[in-house]
């Protein structure tokens, strides 16, 4: 079967600053130093024996310290050349707030120049930049102030966005204000496994309110300088199945979007999870196929997620879809399968306009560290050598031909 994608469909991969750049000094780098030892010792109880055998790096302290990561801050040209050679015509990345505003109210022109060069570097290579303003990591001064809980949080974020709009705005069409606000709240303030590890319902609500207002504020600021800009946000979408799926779906996937109302020019969909509900029990998945992280691979869920988004009548970009697969045994089929279900959604009139595989490079998977390998390119963290995986070439063929053959 041959499936043609709409003309102008965007094909690419995504990264985020803290996960690939290296050398960042922010709330995460501080937290890593304080928690690496604990995380390494907890691996024994956290992961199954097949994962422990396959990934002994999870017991090492360095696994949990981002340090030089992929050194993408210095190697972005080489990495963008690689993406171009893979037929990508778009690329998603994030700006590191701690580099641009290392001290409250003091902006670093060298960091702005760096990102400006990256954006024009994408343009020169024929790739459309999708720029995320905040992908989880925060400047230490902002975290010290109380982070997203602080009463000043939205104001500070607004000043940061104002600076971006003034200095970089003329180079950017597609902006994502925030990455996965719900995931951030759940991990940082509900489960308490990410910085600042402060568990409480009140905090969750306060942070939710601030993140929501931060999105609205950023939208208004960008639009005031650049009315033609396209501003959205990337939400993690879970496919819930079962009798409680309605409320679960609304709570996890929809509230942020519904409340954002008019302040959304497009919807960014990150899709990783299927959640089958049996009785009052969640996550009763069949798990026929799982990634290295043990996450069920269920590409069809993306179709259901997309179909439910149709009613918003907004352009949709799949801003992330991917899997940890160190040996590259499942990646090519997984990507093809996701693309097949996107084409099914297109056939039902859902306005999907692009797909970004997560991730271009293996990278630092937050509290899990470096061992999960999501990349189209494998990284040797000792030498920083990049090796393109064979699935990346299969994806490249689709990108170049704008067509999926299955
Ligand atoms: O690595 C993360 C990314 O930062 C946000 N979305 C999910 C990815 C895989 O867990």
């Amino acid at each position: 079967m041959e499936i043609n994608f709409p003309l102008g469909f965007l094909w690419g991969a995504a990264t985020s600053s803290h996960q690939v750049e290296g050398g960042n000094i922010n709330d995460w780098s501080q937290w890593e130093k304080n928690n690496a030892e604990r995380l390494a010792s907890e691996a024994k109880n956290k992961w199954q024996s097949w994962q422990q055998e396959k990934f002994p790096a999870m017991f090492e302290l360095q696994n949990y310290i981002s340090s030089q990561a992929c050194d993408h801050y210095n190697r972005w040209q080489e990495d963008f050349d690689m993406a171009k050679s893979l037929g990508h015509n778009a690329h998603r990345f994030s700006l590191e707030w701690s580099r641009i505003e290392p001290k409250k109210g003091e902006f670093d022109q060298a960091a702005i120049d760096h990102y400006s060069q990256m954006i024009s570097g994408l343009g020169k290579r024929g790739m459309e930049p999708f720029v995320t303003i905040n992908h989880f990591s925060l400047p230490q001064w902002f975290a010290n102030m109380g982070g997203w809980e602080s009463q000043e949080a939205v104001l500070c974020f607004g000043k940061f966005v104002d600076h971006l709009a003034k200095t970089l705005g003329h180079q950017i069409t597609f902006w994502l204000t925030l990455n996965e606000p719900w995931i951030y709240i759940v991990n940082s303030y509900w489960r308490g496994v990410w910085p600042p590890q402060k568990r409480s319902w009140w905090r969750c609500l306060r942070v939710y309110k601030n993140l929501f207002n931060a999105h609205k504020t950023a939208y208004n600021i960008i639009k005031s300088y650049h009315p033609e800009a396209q501003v959205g946000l990337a939400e993690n979408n879970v496919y819930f199945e079962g009798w409680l799926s309605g409320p679960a779906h609304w709570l996890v996937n929809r509230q942020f979007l519904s409340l954002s109302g008019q302040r959304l020019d497009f919807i960014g969909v990150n899709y990783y999870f299927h959640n089958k509900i049996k009785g009052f029990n969640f996550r009763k998945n069949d798990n026929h196929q799982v990634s290295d992280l043990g996450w069920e691979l269920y590409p069809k869920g993306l179709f259901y997620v997309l179909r439910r988004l149709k009613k918003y009548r907004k352009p949709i970009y799949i801003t992330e879809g991917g899997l940890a697969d160190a040996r590259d045994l499942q990646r090519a089929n997984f990507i093809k399968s996701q693309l097949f279900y996107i084409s099914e959604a297109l056939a039902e009139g859902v306005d999907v306009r692009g797909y970004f595989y997560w991730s271009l490079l293996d990278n630092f998977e937050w509290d899990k560290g470096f061992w999960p390998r999501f990349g189209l390119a494998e990284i040797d963290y000792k030498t920083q050598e990049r090796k393109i995986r064979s699935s990346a070439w299969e994806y490249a063929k689709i990108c170049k031909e704008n067509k999926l053959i299955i």
Side-chain angles (χ1 to χ4, degrees), residues 383-397:
T383 62
Q384 290 295 347
E385 191 198 340
R386 276 91 166 121
K387 214 186 274 169
I388 299 180
R389 293 195 163 101
S390 68
S391 56
W393 291 115
E394 295 201 42
Y395 177 45
K397 192 165 165 2

Side-chain angles (χ1 to χ4, degrees), residues 19 135-136 179-180 272 295 320 358 365-366 374:
Q19 292 178 275
H135 194 121
F136 303 149
N179 183 68
E180 300 173 354
Y272 294 91
W295 299 356
E320 285 181 32
W358 181 271
E365 178 60 15
W366 306 112
F374 279 88

Side-chain angles (χ1 to χ4, degrees), residues 200-376:
S200 107
W201 277 104
W202 282 115
R203 290 180 199 272
C204 287
L205 291 176
R206 212 176 302 150
V207 171
Y208 181 93
K209 183 172 148 259
N210 278 343
L211 285 172
F212 178 67
N213 286 330
H215 166 75
K216 281 201 305 196
T217 303
Y219 183 94
N220 291 340
I221 291 172
I222 296 167
K223 290 296 224 185
S224 72
Y225 287 102
H226 307 284
E228 71 296 344
Q230 297 297 295
V231 186
L233 68 101
E235 256 299 20
N236 174 63
N237 280 257
V238 179
Y239 168 48
F240 288 100
E241 190 183 0
W243 73 288
L244 271 177
S245 63
H249 170 76
W250 190 84
L251 186 70
V252 174
N253 302 332
R254 278 306 81 83
Q255 24 69 30
F256 219 89
L257 280 189
S258 299
L259 295 173
S260 299
Q262 291 314 307
R263 291 192 192 81
L264 211 53
D265 299 323
F266 67 89
I267 299 173
V269 171
N270 295 2
Y271 173 72
Y272 294 91
F273 301 112
H274 170 213
N275 193 327
K276 202 166 179 174
I277 309 166
K278 284 193 184 154
F280 286 99
N281 299 312
F282 284 73
R283 307 220 332 245
K284 290 290 159 198
N285 297 12
D286 299 330
N287 290 331
H288 289 314
Q289 272 189 300
V290 296
S291 73
D292 291 344
L293 279 163
W295 299 356
E296 186 190 28
L297 301 179
Y298 195 75
K300 192 172 184 181
L302 181 54
F303 168 74
Y304 296 119
V305 158
L306 290 173
R307 201 164 58 175
R308 284 185 139 164
L309 287 171
K310 190 177 168 187
K311 66 169 187 212
Y312 290 95
R313 295 162 172 264
K314 306 256 184 206
I316 297 173
Y317 295 90
I318 312 303
T319 37
E320 285 181 32
L323 77 167
D325 177 18
R327 295 189 191 147
D328 205 32
L329 300 173
Q330 314 189 86
R331 187 172 285 103
N333 280 341
F334 176 80
I335 294 176
K336 286 180 193 169
S337 212
Q338 282 211 323
L339 296 176
F340 170 76
Y341 286 113
I342 291 171
S343 77
E344 295 276 283
L346 281 162
E348 290 209 1
V350 186
D351 187 9
V352 187
R353 300 196 182 175
Y355 177 81
F356 294 84
Y357 175 78
W358 181 271
S359 173
L360 179 64
L361 310 168
D362 284 342
N363 61 59
F364 184 73
E365 178 60 15
W366 306 112
D367 58 321
K368 300 170 187 72
F370 286 112
W371 71 262
R373 302 277 185 156
F374 279 88
L376 291 174

